[in-house]
Amino acid sequence: MARRESMLLKLLALALAAAPVTAAVTAPAPAGAWHQREAAIMGTRIAVELWSKTDAQGEAAIDAVMAEMNRVDVLMSHYKPESQLSRINAKAGAGPVRVDRELFDLIARSLEFSRLTNGAFDITYASVGYLYDYRHHVKPDEAQIEAHLSSVDWRSLALDPANSTVRFMKPGMRIDLGGFAKGYAVDRSIELLKARGIEHASVSAGGDTRILGDRFGRPWIVGIRHPDDANRVILRIPLENVALSTSGDYERYFDENGVRYHHIIDPRTGHSASKVRSATIIGPTATQTDGLSKTAFVLGPEKALEILSRIPDIDAVFVGPDGKVYYTPGLAPPAK
Ligand code: ADP
Ligand code: MG
């Protein structure tokens, strides 16, 4: 059942058509220059590349992106005890906690992802997730998981839009927005760039990227890495005006007795979700692609493909435990 409207197919066709005569079809760039910068924010590598008419405008635009990354980091951080998120985790079990509209709307948005993914995406995973510390090789034992697992339940998050409050309806609940925080920060950054008149840009926060415009007649090319070899690319995808997120079990993890403990948690079991090695989602916004990139880890490639191919404008590539690659119909190589 091929999706006729796949934006990726269109882009792939466009790239192939352009390939033999690249120089001839590449539009001449107007006066200006590419600007690039990297920084370490949100516990990851932030990379910004954009085209700007003047150097001053380009550098100011990158400054604005970095400031926005820092702002979202503070908003969503659970490390900082004074953050709104920490206040929710400390107090929402006892009664409603009032938060800024932006944070409220994000929490509300997370419930949409939970609904769409049959609960694979669940910000209350943190009720168990906080017991893991990948850097120090700490994991909960079965008794600890058992004691906390019933608090993992997105349906027990009570949101009151009129008062902008959040309340936990079960004891021991916690939330963590790390599952789409970077995607959201990337989307916010792209909006900022657009408002400044930037028309060609790429913004990444770790595995979450959003692309604005093209590279003057050519698409941007984004590579998906091999799960076991950071230097090997399994697929190169030409992209324009789209977001792409890759989640992998090789990002934050430790191995013990042949088992990999990594940072995506199955909300049903409290264990690392290992039904795929990596999942890449392509779609209109990075908040969406980041949120949806957990689905296949938790539900497995077949079930995830079924869910994702029903969502408009979403494409996906998964690498299974045995190295098998799965695609949504819009991305699959054409049948010979
Ligand atoms: P990154 O943190 O580098 O963006 P991912 O996009 O793969 O990596 O997201 C992993 C993060 O998602 C975890 O560190 C955690 O904060 C969060 N998370 C883990 N499991 C879930 C889940 N089942 N639902 C929602 N968020 C999750
Ligand atoms: Mg992410």
Side-chain angles (χ1 to χ4, degrees), residues 4-302:
R4 270 173 295 143
E5 282 313 307
S6 164
M7 93 189 101
L8 257 299
L9 255 191
K10 271 187 255 157
L11 286 175
L12 284 168
L14 188 143
L16 290 176
V21 279
T22 324
V25 297
T26 300
W34 290 103
H35 293 257
Q36 255 175 302
R37 201 186 303 165
E38 290 185 8
I41 307 172
M42 307 185 93
T44 196
R45 176 180 156 268
I46 308 295
V48 183
E49 187 177 355
L50 56 80
W51 178 271
S52 166
K53 292 193 183 83
T54 71
D55 287 355
Q57 189 195 31
E59 291 304 312
I62 297 182
D63 288 344
V65 168
M66 297 305 183
E68 181 64 7
M69 294 283 177
N70 277 311
R71 190 189 70 81
V72 174
D73 187 27
V74 171
L75 178 73
M76 304 229 204
S77 173
H78 62 264
Y79 295 109
K80 304 181 171 80
E82 70 284 4
S83 77
Q84 290 192 57
L85 195 85
S86 298
R87 220 156 45 78
I88 295 173
N89 281 336
K91 305 220 164 100
V97 174
R98 196 185 179 90
V99 295
D100 284 357
R101 199 68 211 180
E102 184 179 15
L103 188 57
F104 181 88
D105 287 344
L106 268 163
I107 295 170
R109 190 98 195 270
S110 82
L111 301 185
E112 287 170 32
F113 288 114
S114 298
R115 238 169 256 124
L116 269 174
T117 63
N118 293 347
F121 185 90
D122 185 342
I123 60 171
T124 71
Y125 89 90
S127 312
V128 169
Y130 89 98
L131 298 166
Y132 290 85
D133 178 347
Y134 304 98
R135 197 173 307 162
H136 299 106
H137 297 200
V138 174
K139 60 176 185 349
D141 60 28
E142 287 310 314
Q144 285 173 299
I145 291 179
E146 178 125 345
H148 290 83
L149 196 57
S150 63
S151 313
V152 178
D153 178 13
W154 58 275
R155 290 190 169 85
S156 296
L157 268 179
L159 303 187
D160 175 354
N163 294 305
S164 197
T165 60
V166 181
R167 171 154 199 203
F168 296 153
M169 301 311 285
K170 283 185 178 169
M173 281 178 77
R174 285 174 187 242
I175 58 170
D176 180 299
L177 302 179
F180 65 4
K182 289 169 193 158
Y184 176 72
V186 165
D187 282 336
R188 290 278 317 182
S189 301
I190 289 289
E191 294 311 322
L192 275 176
L193 293 179
K194 282 192 203 165
R196 286 169 170 264
I198 302 291
E199 294 173 344
H200 307 267
S202 163
V203 177
S204 296
D208 302 301
T209 299
R210 185 154 157 200
I211 302 285
L212 180 62
D214 65 355
R215 292 182 69 91
F216 298 105
R218 296 181 205 196
W220 297 75
I221 306 289
V222 176
I224 301 175
R225 62 160 272 189
H226 190 284
D228 292 320
D229 183 351
N231 297 315
R232 223 167 104 199
V233 170
I234 58 160
L235 190 68
R236 273 176 228 282
I237 310 184
L239 300 172
E240 286 175 29
N241 283 319
V242 80
L244 173 144
S245 292
T246 299
S247 287
D249 68 4
Y250 45 79
E251 291 290 353
R252 240 178 272 268
Y253 73 95
F254 61 95
D255 291 325
E256 204 174 285
N257 299 327
V259 178
R260 175 154 297 191
Y261 299 92
H262 71 89
H263 71 327
I264 298 172
I265 300 296
D266 184 336
R268 299 164 307 184
T269 66
H271 292 277
S272 297
S274 296
K275 292 196 166 151
V276 293
R277 299 289 319 279
S278 90
T280 298
I281 308 287
I282 301 158
T285 70
T287 309
Q288 277 173 294
T289 57
D290 200 6
L292 294 173
S293 70
K294 283 83 199 160
T295 318
F297 283 87
V298 176
L299 300 179
E302 285 88 4

